[in-house]
């Protein structure tokens, strides 16, 4: 690895280009609302056979709002594109921070790259229905090319692209919700699937796991902190807005589907129709053009998530390169656009290799790439949130602050407990999530990958501590890392 730190200019992301709603667009786009509504909610009903999917989304939103209390309190003190990695470093120490960084790189790459399977397959099916016969991997490569170009352009330009896509898909989802609720099965609107009693029902663990994957991406508000106009205000606002919007949209849409089918028939309907359920429920009440628009937005929702997660991965690589935990070249930005150039190119190269690999072995893009890999990515982000919540408690325990016990102790402790419980259930039911037999080694193989990644990070941190103390010293410093590294390596600045 290169030992030369990036120069101070190239090690700084473009400042002041994102406001609150631009950040909201990025993180909600990563959550892919229409993909969750049309695909995640229906899959949740079908796989778990639990009718309490709507209340599961609301419960998860409440847990994540609780997590956000300490998360944003820490964001006011630490502004760094490394987000989880930096927070864990400051709270639990540098070895734990580097271990977390490796989990983050693996988890977010899994989320981003796995989405290419869904995007390619859905787009290919859409084109095939219209007489344009093609393959999933050609469609995936088309999406990859656009993401790769946008990834090295100005961040605010990407924000405009995501904003247009996001507003359109949220509007279409709300239109569908209104239509479904206004045409209830049996002529009566029921709230059975929103009953709190479902939280105690059998199988609710799998339902909560399904729900939490729909929120992955909201935590990315801090990743863009260095590029916001006022990070101490923008990040907290964007985080709470993102959780509120996605929670209400997911819970409301899942409930609306149960109203249209009837609470007693929603599971069977979801099992039969799959991702077509929401479109089938509204097709007899809306013009065909609006149904077609919804299907197109389903595809663009996947693309928006691809683009948003690409930016997240690129910024994690940038943060690690800037501090020379990974090769220093990753810590350089484009002088023209301010984007993390080499972090973006590296992520694009990895994604390209995976697409070609899956195409070569002729694997199922939906099951083996989209479903398996993104579910595994969601597990990684759940691990990150759980560890970060514990790090918040540790950080404030030794830091003087005026935020009060609720933000610095009570809420983070409750969030750690809740997230830890969901994480335990996730791992114990991972065979169900993958759709494999309980005895299948895959149920442990995918989660074990994060244990290996964490171990690699821990060992690498100890190697840096003993062999490259100048690098170890600046871990977690963020934008100050390059300056600090130059100061340490410059004999003129060394103490006598």
């Amino acid at each position: 690895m290169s030992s030369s730190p990036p120069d101070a200019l190239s090690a700084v992301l473009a400042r002041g280009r994102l406001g609150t709603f631009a950040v909201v667009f990025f993180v909600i786009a990563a959550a892919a609302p229409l993909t969750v509504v049309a695909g995640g909610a229906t899959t949740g009903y079908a796989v778990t056979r639990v009718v309490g999917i709507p209340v599961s989304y609301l419960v998860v939103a409440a847990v994540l709002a609780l997590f956000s209390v300490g998360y944003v309190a820490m964001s006011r003190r630490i502004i760094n594109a490394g987000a989880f990695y930096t927070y864990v470093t400051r709270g639990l120490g540098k070895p734990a921070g580097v271990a977390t960084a490796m989990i983050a790189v693996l988890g977010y790459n899994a989320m981003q790259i796995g989405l290419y399977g869904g995007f390619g397959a859905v787009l290919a099916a859409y084109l095939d229905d219209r007489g344009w016969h093609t393959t999933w991997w050609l469609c995936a490569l088309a999406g990859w090319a656009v993401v790769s170009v946008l990834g090295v352009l100005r961040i605010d330009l990407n924000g405009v692209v995501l904003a247009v896509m996001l507003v359109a898909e949220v509007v279409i989802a709300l239109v569908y919700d209104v239509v479904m609720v206004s045409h209830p099965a049996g002529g009566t609107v029921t709230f059975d699937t929103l009953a709190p009693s479902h939280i105690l029902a059998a199988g609710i663990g799998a339902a909560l796991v399904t729900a939490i994957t729909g929120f992955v991406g909201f935590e990315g508000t801090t990743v863009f902190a260095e590029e916001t106009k006022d990070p101490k205000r923008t990040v907290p606002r964007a985080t709470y807005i993102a959780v509120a919007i996605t929670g209400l949209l997911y819970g409301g849409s899942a409930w609306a589907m149960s109203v249209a089918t009837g609470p007693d028939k929603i599971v069977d309907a979801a099992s039969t129709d799959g991702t077509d359920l929401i479109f089938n429920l509204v097709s007899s009440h809306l013009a065909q053009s609006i149904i077609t628009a919804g299907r197109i937005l389903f595809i663009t929702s996947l693309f928006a998530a691809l683009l948003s997660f690409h930016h997240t991965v690129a910024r994690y690589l940038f943060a690690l390169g800037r501090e020379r935990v990974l090769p220093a070249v990753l810590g350089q930005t484009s002088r023209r656009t301010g984007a993390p150039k080499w972090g973006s190119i590296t992520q694009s190269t990895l994604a390209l290799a995976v697409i070609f690999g899956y195409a070569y072995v002729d694997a199922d893009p939906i099951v083996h790439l989209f479903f398996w890999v993104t579910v595994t990515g969601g597990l990684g982000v759940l691990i990150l949130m759980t560890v970060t919540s514990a790090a918040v408690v540790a950080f404030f325990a030794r830091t003087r602050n005026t935020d009060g016990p609720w933000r610095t102790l009570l809420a983070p402790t409750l969030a750690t407990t809740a997230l830890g419980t969901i994480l335990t259930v996730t791992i114990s039911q991972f065979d169900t999530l993958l759709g494999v037999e309980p005895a299948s080694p895959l149920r442990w193989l995918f989660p074990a990958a994060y244990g290996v990644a964490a171990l690699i990070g821990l060992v690498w941190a100890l190697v840096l501590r003993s062999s490259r103390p100048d690098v170890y010293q600046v871990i977690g410093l963020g934008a100050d890392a390059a300056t600090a590294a130059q100061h340490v390596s410059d004999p003129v600045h060394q103490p006598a």
Side-chain angles (χ1 to χ4, degrees):
M1 293 187 183
S2 173
S3 61
S4 301
D7 62 84
L9 180 60
S10 66
V12 177
L13 291 165
R15 307 279 189 177
R17 288 188 173 169
L18 299 176
T20 298
F21 283 98
V23 176
V24 169
F25 290 142
F26 269 102
V27 298
I28 297 185
L34 194 55
T35 298
V36 174
V37 169
T42 53
T43 301
Y45 279 125
V47 172
T48 68
R49 304 196 69 80
V50 172
V51 298
I53 293 296
V55 76
S56 297
Y57 280 117
L58 298 180
V59 168
V60 167
V63 171
L64 296 184
L66 191 63
F67 163 79
S68 299
V69 173
Y71 188 58
V72 301
M74 202 163 177
S75 76
R76 294 188 177 98
R77 289 162 177 75
I78 301 172
I79 300 170
N80 190 335
F84 287 149
Y85 147 67
T86 307
Y87 291 5
V88 174
T89 298
R90 299 292 185 90
L92 301 178
K94 294 175 182 178
V98 178
T100 299
M102 297 304 126
I103 292 174
V105 170
L106 176 60
Y108 281 112
N109 264 301
M111 288 297 301
Q112 201 274 348
I113 295 173
L115 285 166
Y116 278 112
F119 175 80
V122 172
L123 178 57
Y126 178 83
L127 294 175
D128 188 63
D129 288 343
R130 284 150 183 79
W132 293 53
H133 303 295
T134 184
T135 62
W136 75 267
W137 55 268
L138 279 176
C139 293
L141 287 176
W144 172 87
V146 178
V147 169
S148 298
V149 171
L150 289 175
V152 295
L153 297 181
R154 285 171 58 106
I155 189 70
D156 46 348
L157 171 61
N158 284 256
V160 172
V161 173
L162 290 174
V164 172
M165 292 182 179
L166 179 62
V167 170
E169 63 181 283
V170 170
V171 168
I172 204 76
L174 291 176
V175 169
Y176 287 2
D177 289 349
V178 170
V179 171
M180 289 186 290
V181 173
S182 61
H183 296 84
T188 303
V189 175
T190 62
F191 298 88
D192 294 5
T193 55
L194 290 172
S197 58
H198 290 301
I199 301 302
L200 302 177
I204 193 61
L208 289 172
V209 171
T210 301
I212 204 166
T213 58
F215 288 86
V216 173
F218 93 94
E219 75 291 342
T221 51
T222 58
V223 174
F224 301 100
E226 293 182 37
E227 297 159 276
T228 59
K229 298 172 183 177
D230 184 0
K232 292 185 179 181
R233 289 177 176 268
T234 299
V235 171
R237 288 174 180 172
T239 303
Y240 287 123
I241 290 172
V243 172
I245 290 177
T246 51
L248 292 173
L249 180 64
Y250 297 165
S253 297
W255 166 71
M257 281 188 275
S258 72
V259 170
T261 62
D264 57 332
K265 295 183 176 62
I266 181 60
V267 169
D268 290 338
S271 300
T272 301
D273 292 1
T275 57
D276 284 331
L277 177 61
I278 191 171
F279 302 110
N280 293 342
L281 290 174
V282 301
S283 60
S284 60
H285 308 293
L286 292 172
Q288 184 58 41
S289 59
I290 300 179
I291 305 301
T292 301
R295 292 187 179 278
I296 293 173
L297 287 169
F298 186 19
I299 298 170
T300 60
S301 175
L302 285 163
F303 175 82
L306 277 169
L307 180 59
S308 186
F309 277 121
H310 174 89
H311 283 294
T312 299
V313 174
R315 279 152 182 78
Y316 264 102
L317 294 175
F318 164 81
L320 294 168
R322 178 170 58 185
E323 297 176 11
R324 294 181 294 157
V325 173
L326 292 181
V329 67
L330 295 173
Q332 296 180 9
T333 59
S334 167
R335 293 179 181 273
R336 182 172 60 87
T337 66
K341 178 174 63 176
W342 289 107
S344 179
I345 291 173
T346 299
Q347 205 285 323
S348 294
T349 302
L350 178 60
L352 182 63
V354 173
I355 292 171
F356 275 126
Y358 270 78
Y360 179 76
V361 301
D362 197 28
D364 187 321
I366 290 293
V367 175
H368 300 138
L369 182 54
F370 176 60
F371 190 66
W372 282 7
V373 177
T374 55
V375 162
T376 304
L379 171 64
V381 177
L382 179 56
I383 294 171
L384 291 171
M385 287 192 291
T386 305
V387 176
T388 300
S389 199
V392 171
V393 177
F395 175 80
F396 283 114
R398 61 173 184 270
T399 304
R400 295 185 63 182
N401 64 85
T402 58
D403 288 290
W406 170 247
R407 292 182 180 178
T408 61
L409 176 61
L410 297 177
T413 299
L414 291 172
T416 303
T417 303
L419 290 167
T421 300
I422 296 174
L423 176 59
T424 301
V425 172
T426 300
I427 295 175
S428 68
Q429 298 185 3
F430 214 69
D431 56 319
T432 301
L433 293 173
L434 292 178
V436 298
E437 293 297 323
S440 171
L442 292 176
R443 68 168 299 181
W444 300 115
L445 201 59
F446 284 104
Y450 290 111
V452 174
L455 182 60
I456 291 172
L458 180 62
V459 171
W460 180 238
L462 297 177
V463 169
L464 291 176
R465 185 172 66 181
S466 62
S467 63
R468 298 173 62 188
D470 57 322
V471 173
Y472 188 79
Q473 181 179 341
V474 301
I475 289 175
L477 292 184
D480 299 323
T483 302
Q486 290 169 344
H487 180 82
V488 169
S489 61
D490 186 351
V492 174
H493 293 96
Q494 294 300 310

